[in-house]
Amino acid sequence: MDRVETARTDAGRGPLLQARGIDKFFGPVHALKHVDFEVREGEIVALIGDNGAGKSTFINVLTGVLPHDGGEIVFDGRPVRLASPQEARRLGIETVYQDLAVAPHLDAVANIFLGREYRLPGPLGGLGFLDRRRMRRETEEQLARLRVRVPDLGRRLVTLSGGQRQGVAVARAVMWASKVVIMDEPTAALGVAQTAMVLDLMRQVRDNGVPVVFISHNMPHVFEVADRIVVLRLGEVVQELDPRRATIDDAVSAMTGSIRSVAAKGGHGGR
Amino acid sequence: MAGEPLDAISGLAPEPTVRPGVLARLSGSFTLLILAGVVLVFSAINGGRFFNPANFQNIAVDAAQLLLLTVGVTFVIITAGIDLSVGSVLILSAVVAAKVMVRYAGEPAEVQAYQFPNQGTAIPLGLAAGVATGLTCGLANGLLITRLKMPSFIVTLGTLGIALGLAQLLSGGVNVPNVPPAVQQEIGLRELIAFEVGGQRLRLTPPVLIAFVVAVLAAVALNRTRFGRYTYAVGSNAAAARRVGIDVDRHLVKVYGLSGLLAGVAGGFDLLRFGTASVGSHQSDNLAAISAAVIGGTSLFGGLGTIGGSVIGAFIPAALRTGLVISRVQPFWQNVAIGAVLILAVFLDQRRRRVEERM
Ligand SMILES: Nc1ncnc2c1ncn2[C@@H]1O[C@H](COP(=O)(O)OP(=O)(O)OP(=O)(O)O)[C@@H](O)[C@H]1O
Ligand SMILES: [Mg+2]
């Protein structure tokens, strides 16, 4: 579980995770149109777009939840086939899905270890007996390291508030990610203070050498943390913005298409 | 701020945590209260005639078969599914077991003459065949549900009919005759342990022991193993379980297989207790088992339930039945009482969910 500490700026290497020309159809709907996207070492890259722009679909493709119809995904320089979310996870890519994907009847520890439970050593473990103490201890250690506190690790998530549940989902992703963290609307259910904390956690993760993909509708949040902003509209990457130079208005017009600026502000422009 | 703990995601945050209300907390011990109430009322009416060890032994024997079905159904309901077929699978398994015993206990003429030269192998073989039949039915349920992506309600309603029909075809609709009586006398009624309590001789018989062991193993599996944890996870949020790499379909096949297996064992109990496969009874056992699980706190919405609750839930009908008989009240009142308790249990379950869930 220990994270590889990578230097923040190693310009020598290419992007860590790259999507090239991704196409995705839902029946006749062309949900993703030749999407190019990359995640570089040491950055928080924001992916923004209006409702239905294709952000979640793209994340689902990128993490093996959905198959894609064209293009390829390159991880660490090698093309990869992600047939399932586990394969993405095995590469060190962790995701907070928009629908959270937690089991509300289980407690925080069970959710954090869901699908990768520790079993007791010896024959009992062979029978499937869980090492509950070890899972609990490791959860406590990791959450302390990340300075995340979950109210009562032994309480079922149904008895937690929506924000607290979201906290568990964020903690799970951050705790296991060794290469990339992807968060689809991680602040959607959070109040002001809690949002600030999650944004701060993202910076902390990035500074520990794990790049973050941050999906949000909330422009102030995006401009607060992102190092780079990619705008998706109707399934197409229409613009890349540099938050230090672009304004929220620029981002909004790129999202809504009211002004289709061809002159890119940060990187390459619309295709 | 960087050095501060992230209180946003902690219990100290302004957002209050939801505490279950009185009703919700009550429903946890609800089942035990009901059982205690039943015992208390009948004890008050009948005194020592109800409240005595021999009677409790009868209740245990009576409950053992339903207990097996209830344990299996509990796993299924926790996954947010339902198994309506267990009663029919029980009957089919019993008929298969009986048929195999009759077939292999001796030459047809010998068996007709009530002689069973090969019963030493025929009886275990028959019991094994019954269990295998149950397991097969359960696996078939699981495969149909997961492969055809059909609701468990429909699939198990279908297999309910199929298993019952097959049992009737096999048996001609009557109790299988000429089953070696040894299965009842030598095994079913065998005293494993016997002791005297207050001048009464109490005996532990194999069905009660098997039911007890099954319940303990099931409780351990549900609470301590990965199998149990996945059972809750699948019922709580199947999509989330899939995302983290749990093979949900495979797990469901196992769970329905378990339910069928236990129905197969319960089918064997027919032979152990009555010395034959009783084709006419058990047709409402599925509903009895589901009621027992739900009364015991298992939520039909999935994700919630305990074996302990189900055990108590399975004892309530048996306690009611013996109590009513001893009180010389028509035992049919049992159905009325169970129905009322079931409605109350589900009402409390819904209350609990409304309090707990703000998703
Ligand atoms: N399973 C599906 N079947 C058919 N169409 C789908 C499916 N999932 C998404 N779509 C369509 O693909 C498009 C992109 O949806 P997606 O959920 O990716 O948008 P989004 O950018 O994440 O929106 P939001 O901001 O609301 O989360 C929409 O037009 C949507 O209707
Ligand atoms: Mg989305």
Side-chain angles (χ1 to χ4, degrees), chain B residues 60-69 90 93-94 97 127 131 183-184 188 205-212 214 262-278 282:
Chain B
V61 171
D62 202 18
Q65 202 172 21
L66 180 60
L67 184 60
L68 287 183
L69 298 183
L90 185 165
S93 303
L127 292 173
V131 173
V183 67
Q184 183 186 17
T205 52
V208 174
L209 178 69
I210 292 170
F212 176 76
V214 164
L262 292 177
V265 176
F269 279 23
D270 250 19
L271 298 167
L272 298 181
R273 280 188 73 195
F274 309 117
T276 184
S278 28
H282 301 300

Side-chain angles (χ1 to χ4, degrees), chain B residues 25-304:
Chain B
R25 260 177 288 153
L26 189 77
S27 67
S29 41
F30 165 77
T31 336
L32 200 53
L33 285 178
I34 297 273
L35 185 60
V38 168
V39 171
L40 224 71
V41 167
F42 285 121
S43 304
I45 297 173
N46 300 296
R49 276 197 301 141
F50 182 83
F51 200 87
N52 77 59
N55 187 45
F56 290 150
Q57 173 187 301
N58 290 340
I59 292 174
V61 171
D62 202 18
Q65 202 172 21
L66 180 60
L67 184 60
L68 287 183
L69 298 183
T70 306
V71 166
V73 158
T74 301
F75 276 85
V76 170
I77 299 179
I78 292 175
T79 67
I82 198 88
D83 189 348
L84 296 172
S85 71
V86 285
S88 296
V89 171
L90 185 165
I91 298 171
L92 179 61
S93 303
V95 168
V96 168
K99 281 281 178 188
V100 168
M101 284 180 202
V102 171
R103 167 76 179 71
Y104 291 102
E107 297 299 322
E110 290 172 323
V111 172
Q112 284 296 331
Y114 243 58
Q115 283 173 351
F116 310 99
N118 300 329
Q119 63 178 10
T121 48
I123 289 175
L125 193 66
L127 292 173
V131 173
T133 302
L135 177 62
T136 307
C137 293
L139 293 175
N141 277 333
L143 287 170
L144 287 170
I145 289 162
T146 55
R147 293 288 142 85
L148 305 185
K149 308 215 178 310
M150 301 237 302
S152 53
F153 184 90
I154 299 299
V155 169
T156 59
L157 191 58
T159 53
L160 175 158
I162 294 170
L164 183 61
L166 288 178
Q168 287 163 337
L169 284 170
L170 269 177
S171 64
V174 296
N175 294 354
V176 178
N178 299 332
V179 174
V183 67
Q184 183 186 17
Q185 264 125 46
E186 306 282 323
I187 306 176
L189 302 177
R190 178 181 286 268
E191 292 180 8
L192 298 172
I193 309 171
F195 42 90
E196 301 269 330
V197 178
Q200 286 176 318
R201 187 169 171 77
L202 293 185
R203 39 191 99 75
L204 179 67
T205 52
V208 174
L209 178 69
I210 292 170
F212 176 76
V213 169
V214 164
V216 170
L217 289 180
V220 170
L222 203 49
N223 286 314
R224 300 286 146 143
T225 70
R226 202 167 61 169
F227 180 80
R229 176 146 305 171
Y230 287 2
T231 302
Y232 285 111
V234 166
S236 183
N237 187 346
R242 255 183 216 110
R243 291 252 174 105
V244 299
I246 296 172
D247 191 338
V248 171
D249 286 356
R250 209 181 130 96
H251 191 78
L252 286 176
V253 172
K254 287 187 200 166
V255 166
Y256 284 91
L258 175 67
S259 181
L261 175 81
L262 292 177
V265 176
F269 279 23
D270 250 19
L271 298 167
L272 298 181
R273 280 188 73 195
F274 309 117
T276 184
S278 28
V279 183
S281 44
H282 301 300
Q283 296 201 12
S284 62
D285 278 15
N286 55 353
L287 300 182
I290 293 165
S291 306
V294 170
I295 289 169
T298 305
S299 168
L300 287 169
F301 302 98
L304 271 182

Side-chain angles (χ1 to χ4, degrees), chain A residues 29-49:
Chain A
V29 180
H30 200 172
L32 296 175
K33 299 171 188 150
H34 219 72
V35 171
D36 290 319
F37 181 81
E38 58 185 49
V39 184
R40 302 170 192 155
E41 305 268 3
E43 72 171 357
I44 296 176
V45 53
L47 183 62
I48 64 172

Side-chain angles (χ1 to χ4, degrees), chain A residues 204-218:
Chain A
Q204 192 187 321
V205 168
R206 173 197 61 194
D207 294 347
N208 279 337
V210 175
V212 179
V213 180
F214 175 38
I215 289 122
S216 181
H217 282 121
N218 189 306

Side-chain angles (χ1 to χ4, degrees), chain A residues 185-196:
Chain A
E185 303 276 3
T187 56
L190 301 183
V192 178
Q194 296 158 306
T195 298

